[in-house]
Every structure is written in structure tokens, then in C-alpha cells.
Amino acid sequence: MADNPVYEIHDPRFRDLFVISAELEELYSGCRWAEGPVWFDDAGHLLFSDIPNQRILRWVEGGGVSVFRSPSNFANGHTRDRQGRLVSCEHGGRRVTRTEVDGTITVLADRHDGKRLNSPNDVVVHSDGSVWFSDPSYGIMSDYEGYKADEEQESRSIWRLDPGTGSLSVMASDFLQPNGLAFSPDERRLYVADSGASHAPEAPRHILVFDVAEGGRSLSKGRVFATIDKGVPDGMRVDMAGNVWSSAADGVHCFAPDGTLLGKILVPQVVSNLAFGGPRRNRLFITATKSLYSIYTATTGAQRP
Ligand code: MG
């Protein structure tokens, strides 16, 4: 079996997770900063953001890429809620929105105690319907990925939007720049990337893990799960076995649930985010600087309870 230079194996367990003959495919190029991939199995398409170009793009197998929404209000990370609706972070409006089935946009969160959020970056939905998102300052640092403005919140936090009351609560705030986030398959853990080193070299470039407590209403025991050795962690996803697939400067890094680096998928541009998709959920879609890539894997994205 010949080695495939797209894979870097750090632990033998990685061999069970990739397909040796699978190649990295560039599906599209032409973004300024591609981010936020989210798969719609029912529609057979992938949506992703091109943040500085104010676009959400749609990729269809065999049909290429078209514009889904423009202007996008500098949309960044996306996910889907329990009903399958698109939930998006927008730098421009400093808010998290939901796109209804009829296409109208509902604001889920844009301020707390009268103060605006910084610039919501990435988002996940818990099986109880609560919406969890990160709120770093990237989208208000300049006019490139949003509108330059001052921070109003006291900290850069992970927030939880309660599905019943609509109230917004800080779940954790011990970050320089909270970024990608993902639950473990059993939702007992939440992983959060701190990409602070993107603008301050000595700052964190690690993934933290928290225990999810109080029936999904709080976090405890935050600790470092893994440190990224090339660049910073941005978006990430978890597979069915609980392995954590993180973005990094040299590609996608795959960590076992115990934090061991299993291996890497090397990508020629800086990776911002990723999502499992395709009809079998075994295809990894990767946004990386100007391009959208994909590669088939030997695992599948987590199907949470
Ligand atoms: Mg991000």
C-alpha cells in the first residue's frame, strides 16, 4: 500500500479513519476568506461563507458554486437547528440569526443587558434546542470582515441561548479569542478553540474541553485538550467515535478523545473550518483561505442524540 502524501500519520489509530486512495479535491476557489461550511442532506448542498466578500455560497455536486445570499452581513459560522433551519453568526449585525423555511431572517441574539455582542463567530445547537456560540472580537477589529467598532461586552465568551426563555447566558469566558466549538457525541463535553495566537504570537493556540453540567445548562472543569502546532485552531467537528477534527494552518488535525494527535490531512492553504457531509456523512468539506476542498474519510460525522 503506497503512502499518500495528503496524510500525516502520528498514531496508528489514524489509519482506521482515512481512505488511503482518497484525494483532496478542490471544489471551488475564488473566496477571500472561506469559512463556516454546513451540509444540507435534504437539499443535497453545502453552504459556506466568503466573509470579506459578503457572500454565502452554495455548492452542489455536479452543479458548482452559486450565490446563496449576498450581502451576507459578513456571515461566518453556520449550523442547523433541530428542525433543520440554518443558524448563522453574522459579524456585520453582531448577531446570531435563524433563516426560516420561507427565507425570512429571525434575530436570535444580538445583545445582552443592552450591550451589543462583539461579533459571533461559530455556533452549535444542543439536542435540547439551546444555541451555543462564540463571541470573539475578530469581526469588529477592522472593516475587512465586518464593521470596525469597540467591544461592549466585558469578556469574549461562549454564550448559551435558552430555547424556552430566549435568555442569553455566559457559559465560559476564560479565553483570549473563543472560536470554533463542538459537542462530543454524547454531549457530555464541549470543545472550544481559543485562536488568540492569530494576532498575538505568545497567546493561546489550543482547544479547551469542558464538562457539560446541570443538564446542559452550564460548563465546568475547563482544561486544555490539545495544542495546535501549526497556526491556530478555528472551526472543528467531532466524528461518530468522538475524535476531534480541527482546523490548523497546515491542514486538518485529528485528535483522539484523550487529546492524542492521531494524524493530519495536509491542505495547501490555511484551514478555517470543516464539516462532515454527503449522503453518508463520510465526506469532509474543508474551507481554507480562498478555496473549498473535500476528502472522503473512513468515518462519519457525529449524529448527536
Ligand atoms: Mg471561526
Side-chain angles (χ1 to χ4, degrees), residues 3 16 19 23-24 36 39 53 60 85 89 97 120 138-139 147 154 158 181 223-224 228 232 239 257 266 278 291 303:
D3 280 339
D16 294 333
V19 177
E23 293 287 342
L24 187 70
W39 174 251
N53 280 328
V60 182
R85 296 170 294 193
C89 294
T97 64
Y138 291 121
Y147 303 107
E154 289 175 6
I158 296 296
L181 68 172
R223 65 259 185 209
V224 174
I228 296 292
V232 299
D239 69 25
L266 301 176
S291 300
Q303 298 272 15

Side-chain angles (χ1 to χ4, degrees), residues 43 59 107 116 119 139 169 182 187 217 239 249:
W59 173 86
V107 178
R116 285 185 294 175
S119 51
S169 308
E187 296 185 326
R217 292 169 186 271
D239 69 25

Side-chain angles (χ1 to χ4, degrees), residues 137-271:
S137 64
Y138 291 121
I140 53 173
M141 281 179 166
S142 72
D143 289 323
Y144 186 59
E145 291 198 352
Y147 303 107
K148 184 173 170 53
D150 294 330
E151 295 177 50
E152 298 180 19
Q153 297 296 326
E154 289 175 6
S155 57
R156 301 165 184 164
S157 304
I158 296 296
W159 294 88
R160 176 185 183 272
L161 179 72
D162 189 273
T165 64
S167 64
L168 206 52
S169 308
V170 169
M171 293 289 102
S173 55
D174 190 18
F175 312 101
L176 186 57
Q177 295 285 15
N179 203 319
L181 68 172
F183 286 106
S184 61
D186 61 9
E187 296 185 326
R188 291 183 178 180
R189 289 174 150 197
L190 180 75
Y191 298 97
V192 179
D194 190 335
S195 57
S198 61
H199 290 67
E202 301 308 313
R205 55 180 76 241
H206 55 220
I207 299 169
L208 296 166
V209 61
F210 297 85
D211 291 343
V212 179
E214 290 186 71
R217 292 169 186 271
S218 71
L219 297 176
S220 65
K221 297 181 190 166
R223 65 259 185 209
V224 174
F225 169 74
T227 297
I228 296 292
D229 63 6
K230 295 279 195 313
V232 299
D234 193 335
M236 57 187 154
R237 292 289 191 270
V238 174
D239 69 25
M240 59 182 293
N243 301 303
V244 177
W245 300 70
S246 173
S247 50
D250 58 342
V252 175
H253 296 192
C254 178
F255 297 95
D258 65 6
T260 305
L261 176 63
L262 299 180
K264 301 181 179 182
I265 297 171
L266 301 176
V267 178
Q269 301 182 69
V270 173
V271 173

